[in-house]
Amino acid sequence: MTTSIKKLPDTEQVLSGNGSCGGCPATMALRIVGKALGPNAIMLLTPSCAVASMGMTPRLGYNWPCINVCFATAGSSASGIANALEIMKEKGRLQGELPTVFSWVGDGGTYDIGLQALSAAAERNDNFIHFCYNNEAYSNTGVQRSGATPRGSFTTTTPTGKRQPKKNMALLMLEHNIPYVATATVAYPGDLYDKVVKARNIPGMKYIEILAPCYLGWQFDMSETVQMSRMAVRCGAWLLWEAENGKISFNNPSSHIISGKKDPVPVDEYLMKQGRFNRFLKGPDASQRIAEIQNDIDREIAFMRERAKIAV
Ligand SMILES: Cc1ncc(C[n+]2csc(CCOP(=O)(O)OP(=O)(O)O)c2C)c(N)n1
Ligand code: SF4
Ligand SMILES: [Mg+2]
C-alpha cells in the first residue's frame, strides 16, 4: 500500500526562504525526498536551478551538508564520498549509521553532461542514490534542449520545436544492472516517498528519476504544477515504475495502462495546456504532429510492457 500524503513525517530538510520559483516541482520533490532520507545524508549538486535556489553559506536552503560539484562529475564525486565514508568507518574514524550519499541533479546534468561519470559509477555499483529531477530542459540557463526534452517542445535551441523524441534514461540506468531504479513525479508524493525509503535501505547504486513539470520552461500557470504532473502520467507520457534487482513493476495508475485495464488519455489536452508546444502545433500539419507525439508515447508504453516481461 502506498503511504498516504497525510502520513509523511513532519521532518523538513528544505527550509523556507530558499530561492526557487513558486510552484517549483524540483523543490516540492526535494521536500518529499527529505522526509524519506531524514537529516543523516550528504547532498551533491551540479549547476542547476537546485543550486541557484539553495542560497549561500551559511544560509543554505537545504538542511544537509551540500557539495556543489562540476557539471560532469556528480557520478564520480558521489562515488568518492561514498567510498571515503566506508573507509573511515572501517578505520574506526566514523561511528554510527553511515549518512546516505545522494546526488540531486537535473536532466541536463544526468542525460547529457554527467552521463559518462554516472554510467561509470553505476557499473562500479557505488553506494549512493542518484536523483534526476527532470524538468525536460536546461531551465536555469533560460531553457535549452536536453536529451530529456520531448519531441515538439520549444526551447531556445529548438525554436520551432524539437524534432527528436526524448531518451529513456531510467531504462538505460537499469541496463547497468544496478539494484534499484525507479521513476516518480510530484503528483504522487506517497509513491515517491516509498521509493526513496526503499532505495535508502539498498546497498549499491540506486537511480530515481522524478518528472518535474516546470512552469517556466513548459509555459503553464505555476499553480498547475501538480495537475500537469498528473496529466503526464494519465496520458502515459510519464510511466511510474520501479525495478528491484532487474525486475520491473509498474505503479498505479501506470500499471493500469500497461496491463490494458485502462487506456491512456489521448495526449492532446496535455499538449494544449503547455505553451512550449504552441509553435510546433501551429498550422495545417497540427494533427499530424500531434500524432507523431502520440506515437512516441504509444511506442514507449508498448516497449516498456515488453521489456518488463524479461526477468533476470
Ligand atoms: C560545464 C558547464 N557548462 C554549462 C554550465 C552552465 N549551466 C549552469 S546551470 C545549467 C543548466 C542545467 O540544466 P539541468 O541539469 O537540466 O538543471 P535545471 O537548470 O533544469 O535545474 C547550465 C547549462 C555550467 N555551469 N557548467
Ligand atoms: S525555473 Fe522551473 S525548475 Fe527552475 S526554479 Fe523555477 S520552477 Fe523550479
Ligand atoms: Mg533540467
Side-chain angles (χ1 to χ4, degrees):
M1 231 339 227
T2 309
T3 302
S4 154
I5 190 168
K6 293 182 194 149
K7 295 270 158 66
L8 299 186
D10 291 336
T11 330
E12 292 294 354
Q13 295 299 122
V14 175
L15 306 177
S16 59
N18 70 70
S20 63
C21 305
C24 174
T27 313
M28 262 183 224
L30 186 58
R31 245 188 107 185
I32 298 160
V33 167
K35 289 175 185 295
L37 293 182
N40 190 23
I42 297 174
M43 180 183 200
L44 290 100
L45 304 102
T46 59
S48 59
C49 281
V51 168
S53 305
M54 73 193 283
M56 282 193 219
T57 307
R59 294 173 184 276
L60 287 188
Y62 311 145
N63 199 19
W64 291 286
C66 295
I67 307 170
N68 290 334
V69 299
C70 296
F71 226 146
T73 66
S76 45
S77 304
S79 291
I81 291 167
N83 283 298
L85 289 171
E86 273 162 31
I87 291 166
M88 285 167 76
K89 175 115 187 170
E90 259 171 46
K91 292 192 168 172
R93 284 160 57 191
L94 200 65
Q95 311 301 324
E97 201 184 323
L98 283 183
T100 306
V101 178
F102 74 102
S103 39
W104 184 253
V105 178
D107 48 298
T110 301
Y111 280 59
D112 304 337
I113 301 173
L115 180 59
Q116 182 181 345
L118 184 62
S119 172
E123 188 268 328
R124 291 189 301 267
N125 196 26
D126 284 327
N127 187 23
F128 67 95
I129 311 176
H130 183 95
F131 289 96
C132 171
Y133 69 89
N134 175 7
N135 52 21
E136 299 191 332
Y138 291 74
S139 288
N140 185 51
T141 39
V143 190
Q144 291 79 38
R145 123 209 238 289
S146 79
T149 307
R151 187 194 301 277
S153 179
F154 166 87
T155 65
T156 55
T157 46
T158 54
T160 56
K162 189 181 166 189
R163 299 300 154 127
Q164 303 82 19
K166 60 185 179 179
K167 66 183 172 188
N168 189 336
M169 183 68 202
L171 190 61
L172 273 175
M173 292 307 291
L174 181 67
E175 304 304 357
H176 287 75
N177 298 320
I178 57 176
Y180 190 71
V181 175
T183 64
T185 186
V186 286
Y188 302 88
D191 177 72
L192 170 59
Y193 173 82
D194 290 345
K195 286 169 174 170
V196 180
V197 169
K198 200 179 276 184
R200 194 187 68 187
N201 293 311
I202 297 174
M205 170 102 192
K206 288 79 57 178
Y207 176 83
I208 299 181
E209 182 166 336
I210 305 164
L211 182 72
C214 158
Y215 86 97
L216 183 89
W218 296 26
Q219 300 172 27
F220 60 82
D221 194 284
M222 61 162 74
S223 63
E224 292 180 339
T225 301
V226 173
Q227 192 191 347
M228 204 55 67
S229 155
R230 193 174 297 115
M231 286 176 89
V233 172
R234 288 192 176 159
C235 73
W238 189 251
L239 294 173
L240 297 175
W241 59 273
E242 62 188 322
E244 282 179 76
N245 297 318
K247 171 94 189 79
I248 299 176
S249 54
F250 296 91
N251 313 102
N252 284 339
S254 301
S255 51
H256 300 314
I257 294 177
I258 293 290
S259 69
K261 229 196 230 167
K262 219 173 184 177
D263 286 333
V265 175
V267 75
D268 309 45
E269 196 193 341
Y270 175 65
L271 298 180
M272 298 308 178
K273 274 245 173 210
Q274 302 171 51
R276 65 177 172 157
F277 293 106
N278 281 355
R279 296 182 196 199
F280 190 67
L281 301 181
K282 227 174 17 200
D285 301 346
S287 54
Q288 192 198 321
R289 290 177 167 199
I290 292 177
E292 277 175 39
I293 298 172
Q294 184 68 62
N295 193 44
D296 289 341
I297 293 172
D298 294 347
R299 185 196 163 279
E300 274 304 305
I301 293 171
F303 184 82
M304 287 303 292
R305 184 184 289 129
E306 291 308 309
R307 178 62 186 80
K309 290 178 187 162
I310 305 171
V312 279

